[in-house]
């Protein structure tokens, strides 16, 4: 994330719903983000995913945003998401975040629902803490 593009220290899509919707649409158009209703059968959607990865449909159904390495749920990102949804005292933002298992898609830059998936899915997620490379000194 480039500092000059941040809004109050947060990715724009976490703070501006129009940016989020536009970026989500790019994920739908370019990487088949979906399905719209993940808990309903959608044989055509899941068969297409299975065909992309050359795996059985039941295996494809296990590759969800919630376990993608581009699905970011660090404390900082979760605070940004909460702030963007609404942090008034009577807000139900945390209920919304929990119900949809929302995280931030690092690939397409939008708030992403954990039960969905896309063609850009990457193994070993989600990212829940900052990973910083330790550099060793020469002595």
């Amino acid at each position: 994330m480039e500092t000059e593009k941040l809004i109050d220290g947060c990715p724009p899509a976490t703070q501006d719903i129009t940016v989020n919707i536009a970026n989500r649409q790019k994920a739908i158009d370019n990487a088949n983000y979906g399905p719209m209703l993940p808990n309903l059968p959608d044989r055509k959607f899941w068969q297409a995913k299975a065909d992309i990865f050359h795996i059985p449909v039941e295996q494809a159904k296990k590759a969800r945003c919630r376990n993608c390495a581009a699905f970011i749920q660090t404390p900082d990102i979760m605070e940004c998401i909460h702030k963007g949804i609404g942090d008034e005292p009577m807000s139900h933002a945390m209920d919304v975040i929990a119900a949809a298992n929302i995280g931030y898609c690092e690939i397409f830059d939008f708030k992403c629902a954990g039960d969905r998936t896309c063609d850009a899915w990457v193994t070993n997620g989600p990212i829940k803490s900052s990973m910083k490379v330790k550099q060793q000194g020469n002595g």
Side-chain angles (χ1 to χ4, degrees):
M1 286 180 263
E2 296 178 30
T3 306
E4 65 272 10
K5 292 184 179 180
L6 300 179
I7 298 173
D8 294 329
C10 296
T14 64
Q15 304 305 298
D16 184 334
I17 191 68
T18 59
V19 171
N20 190 69
I21 291 170
N23 290 352
R24 182 183 66 195
Q25 190 61 49
K26 289 177 189 172
I28 292 167
D29 295 342
N30 298 320
N32 301 307
Y33 175 68
M36 180 67 170
L37 300 169
N39 294 327
L40 296 180
D42 190 338
R43 180 80 180 153
K44 183 178 176 185
F45 178 88
W46 291 109
Q47 185 62 59
K49 289 288 176 255
D51 292 347
I52 288 168
F53 292 106
H54 307 288
I55 57 175
V57 169
E58 289 308 312
Q59 189 175 351
K61 287 182 176 181
K62 294 177 182 178
R64 304 289 182 126
C65 294
R66 68 176 170 252
N67 58 18
C68 176
F71 190 66
I72 311 301
Q73 291 184 313
T74 62
D76 289 344
I77 283 292
M78 297 312 291
E79 179 59 30
C80 287
I81 291 170
H82 178 264
K83 185 169 49 171
I85 291 174
D87 57 358
E88 307 84 35
M90 299 301 287
S91 172
H92 295 284
M94 293 309 290
D95 294 336
V96 171
I97 292 166
N101 189 18
I102 294 176
Y104 185 76
C105 177
E106 186 68 26
I107 295 172
F108 294 103
D109 299 318
F110 75 105
K111 293 178 291 191
C112 177
D115 282 345
R116 294 199 174 129
T117 191
C118 80
D119 296 348
W121 184 85
V122 183
T123 192
N124 290 330
I127 304 300
K128 292 192 174 250
S129 62
S130 295
M131 301 168 125
K132 297 188 179 181
V133 178
K134 293 181 181 180
Q135 295 186 9
Q136 297 178 349
N138 289 334

